[in-house]
């Protein structure tokens, strides 16, 4: 027998279950307990960048919206900088913009929304420019291990065409499952997305 | 609430030296999916329509995955890790008083400092304070059922609560969840994000639970079961259970401007 490596093993994932709101968004479960709560609003009045609403649904294999799903998003600021010490890129950091939010789907419609800003382009370790994107993590009853995907922006065609991650998606026709569609409502940009868990239009999920 | 009962205090038996791991900016270790439940696990019926069928696309970790949200004590309130007190209206909640404590580690065995741990659970009768839970067991007016803690500089966390009860759920007509506490953990990068559940040593419902048995690896399942930790209990007050959580390990930096000792 060779020497043992003695790495620990990652703790196994378990479903977040139908009552995930109790722990993560107690107001949605129907009660008020914490002094400070996390939410789906990432912007503060002084946040730099274009205000956007992200809205969408997660559909199951029958095409029905999940009405008990929870999404978290993680993104860079308008300068393309993540608020984390491991991002040593040149873009200016905004301490007050955490860049993270969580939202639960509406119990009737399944709609999930976030109020945020459009992130800037990101420079990866190899110095390549990556198209602006938002990282998404999805948990719910029936989802045994959180699903990772990304949202890119429909009005960034040139940047998307050059993005090193989008270009890994084969066949190319599946790349569109990662692109949120821009529209305007009351003078404000809205990006709409649909995450399909199954079917011909199944969204690309990543093993990160 | 009971004015005589002492406030929750740190139950730790010995304190490892504070150790702040070097700031990693390499990728995380490849996730070993053989120890996780598969997305499609037909014995857990809800997973059938909610499981992707295409292969996941493996991508090397970029700055988008090795970074993640940073939380601090400003995000928490003073009673957030005391479920016996944080929703008490006119007394303590009903149930077995317990302390749950442990460390958040990574696969190299290092503590994960200053990371957010959130937890939620049913009350002692197996009922959730949730508008969609219709189980006939009563709501406890003094129990909310959720809390959160930030790990210290060694990765240690603790909280106090009452032991949750088992509850029935619609899978087969006679499916019951073992007593469990749900956990959400962040780590330092978004690719470490994890939700899991902690179970209690000796619970006879563990081997027959359709959710637990989605885990294909017996050792991985055993690692979700918290042992009774009598040494950490508070005499005449609370029993203690120990639950360590392991997140993915991380390679150290490959940058040219690596810092000393990294
Ligand atoms: Fe549960």
């Amino acid at each position: 027998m060779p020497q043992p490596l003695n790495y620990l093993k990652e703790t196994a994932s378990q479903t977040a279950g139908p009552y995930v709101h109790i722990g993560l968004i107690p107001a949605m479960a129907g009660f008020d307990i914490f002094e400070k709560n996390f939410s789906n609003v990432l912007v503060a009045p002084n946040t730099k960048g274009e205000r956007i609403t992200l809205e969408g649904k997660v559909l199951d294999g029958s095409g029905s919206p999940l009405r008990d799903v929870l999404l978290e998003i993680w993104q860079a600021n308008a300068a393309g900088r993540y608020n984390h010490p491991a991002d040593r890129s040149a873009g200016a950091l905004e301490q007050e913009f955490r860049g993270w939010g969580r939202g639960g789907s509406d119990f009737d419609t399944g709609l999930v929304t976030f109020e945020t800003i459009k992130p800037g382009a990101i420079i990866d370790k190899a110095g390549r420019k990556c198209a602006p994107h938002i990282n998404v993590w999805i948990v719910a009853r029936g989802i045994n291990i959180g699903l990772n995907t990304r949202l890119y922006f429909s009005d960034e065609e040139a940047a998307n065409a050059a993005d090193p991650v989008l270009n890994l998606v084969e066949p190319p026709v599946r790349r569109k499952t990662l692109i949120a569609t821009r529209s305007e409502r009351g003078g404000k940009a809205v990006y709409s997305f649909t995450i399909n868990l199954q079917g011909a239009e199944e969204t690309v999920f990543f093993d990160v | 609430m009971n004015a005589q009962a002492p406030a929750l205090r740190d139950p730790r038996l010995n304190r490892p030296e504070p150790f702040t791991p070097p700031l990693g900016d390499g990728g995380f270790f490849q996730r070993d999916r053989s120890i996780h439940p598969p997305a499609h696990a037909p014995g857990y019926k809800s997973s059938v329509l909610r499981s992707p069928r295409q292969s996941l696309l493996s991508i090397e970790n970029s700055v988008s995955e090795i970074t993640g949200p940073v939380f601090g004590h400003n995000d928490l309130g003073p009673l957030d890790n005391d479920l016996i007190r944080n929703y008490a209206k006119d007394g303590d909640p009903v149930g077995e008083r317990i302390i749950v404590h442990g460390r958040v580690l990574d696969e190299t065995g290092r503590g994960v400092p200053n990371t957010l741990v959130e937890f939620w659970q049913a009350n002692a009768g197996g009922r959730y304070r949730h508008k969609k839970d219709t189980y006939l067991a009563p709501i406890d007016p003094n129990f909310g059922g959720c809390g959160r803690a930030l790990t210290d500089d060694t990765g240690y966390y603790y909280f106090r609560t009452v032991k949750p009860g088992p509850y029935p759920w619609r899978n087969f007509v006679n499916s019951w969840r073992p007593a469990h506490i749900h956990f959400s953990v962040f780590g330092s990068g978004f690719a470490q994000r994890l939700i899991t559940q902690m179970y209690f040593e000796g619970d006879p419902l563990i081997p027959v639970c359709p959710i637990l048995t989605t885990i294909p690896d017996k050792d991985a399942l055993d690692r979700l079961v918290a042992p009774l930790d009598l040494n950490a209990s508070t005499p005449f007050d609370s029993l203690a259970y120990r639950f360590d959580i392991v997140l993915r390990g991380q390679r150290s930096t490959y940058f040219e401007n690596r810092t000393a000792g990294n």
Side-chain angles (χ1 to χ4, degrees), chain A residues 108-150:
Chain A
D108 296 320
T109 64
L111 198 68
V112 190
T113 64
F114 292 94
E115 298 300 331
T116 186
I117 53 99
K118 189 175 173 190
I122 289 154
I123 307 297
D124 75 6
K125 282 191 214 173
R128 291 177 301 191
K129 201 170 180 181
C130 306
H133 64 270
I134 290 179
N135 306 286
V136 182
W137 184 73
I138 304 162
V139 292
R141 170 177 69 89
I143 294 178
N144 284 326
I145 180 165
L147 299 170
N148 293 91
T149 185
R150 290 182 173 193

Side-chain angles (χ1 to χ4, degrees), chain A residues 18 21 25 28-29 40 55-59 64-71 102-114 193, chain B residues 50 130-132:
Chain A
H21 315 89
I25 315 176
M28 284 192 72
N40 59 341
E55 66 175 35
K57 294 182 181 180
V58 180
L59 306 184
S64 309
L66 272 60
R67 293 173 300 161
D68 53 7
V69 70
L70 183 137
L71 266 56
R102 65 166 49 132
S105 57
D106 183 276
F107 286 127
D108 296 320
T109 64
L111 198 68
V112 190
T113 64
F114 292 94
F193 64 88
Chain B
R50 294 182 168 202
H130 190 291
K131 57 182 167 194
K132 297 289 183 189

Side-chain angles (χ1 to χ4, degrees), chain A residues 15-20, chain B residues 120-122 128 165 167 177-182 197 199 211:
Chain A
T15 179
Y19 307 126
V20 59
Chain B
W120 66 100
Q121 62 169 89
Y128 282 101
Y167 59 83
R177 296 302 327 279
H180 62 277
I181 299 177
H182 297 263
Q197 301 180 30
Y199 303 88
I211 288 180

Side-chain angles (χ1 to χ4, degrees), chain B residues 45-261:
Chain B
K45 296 182 183 181
S46 300
S47 75
V48 172
L49 282 176
R50 294 182 168 202
S51 43
R53 299 303 164 88
Q54 304 290 323
S55 299
L56 302 179
L57 177 58
S58 294
I59 54 173
E60 297 148 83
N61 285 177
S62 71
V63 69
S64 296
E65 288 80 33
I66 64 167
T67 60
V70 177
F71 300 95
H73 288 283
N74 283 344
D75 291 307
L76 306 183
L79 289 179
D80 282 7
N81 72 335
D82 190 353
L83 282 66
I84 286 185
R85 291 284 160 78
N86 70 6
Y87 202 75
K89 304 297 182 198
D90 58 4
D92 286 349
V94 172
E96 297 174 41
R97 301 162 67 86
I98 61 168
I99 288 161
V100 178
H101 73 144
R103 289 177 76 198
V104 179
L105 306 162
D106 75 11
E107 288 169 301
T108 68
R110 298 183 298 196
V112 181
N114 307 314
T115 199
L116 184 66
V117 183
E118 299 165 289
F119 19 88
W120 66 100
Q121 62 169 89
N123 69 23
R127 174 75 184 268
Y128 282 101
R129 182 176 288 281
H130 190 291
K131 57 182 167 194
K132 297 289 183 189
D133 187 1
T134 57
Y135 180 36
L136 54 82
I139 290 281
D140 184 331
N142 294 309
F143 192 65
C146 60
R148 48 201 188 177
L150 208 61
T151 59
D152 72 4
D153 51 5
T154 70
Y156 184 76
Y157 75 92
Y158 65 96
F159 62 96
R160 178 166 72 172
T161 185
V162 294
K163 191 177 176 189
Y167 59 83
W169 59 296
R170 288 193 175 276
N171 190 65
F172 306 113
V173 288
N174 197 20
S175 292
W176 292 75
R177 296 302 327 279
H180 62 277
I181 299 177
H182 297 263
F183 277 75
S184 153
V185 193
F186 280 81
S188 62
F190 207 47
Q192 286 176 303
R193 192 81 180 83
L194 183 73
I195 277 185
T196 189
Q197 301 180 30
M198 179 200 110
Y199 303 88
F200 292 85
E201 176 184 5
D203 190 330
L205 291 167
I206 288 174
V208 295
C209 172
I211 288 180
L212 246 176
T213 52
T214 58
I215 299 172
D217 182 286
K218 169 80 168 76
D219 293 336
L221 191 157
D222 286 346
R223 288 194 296 272
L224 297 185
V225 182
L228 177 68
D229 183 357
L230 209 47
N231 292 335
S233 69
T234 308
F236 306 104
D237 182 334
S238 301
L239 285 172
Y241 287 85
R242 169 107 191 170
F243 187 54
D244 290 340
I245 298 164
V246 180
L247 303 179
R248 295 165 67 187
Q250 187 172 22
R251 294 185 183 85
S252 60
T253 178
Y254 290 107
F255 272 58
E256 284 178 3
N257 57 346
R258 51 169 55 184
T259 48

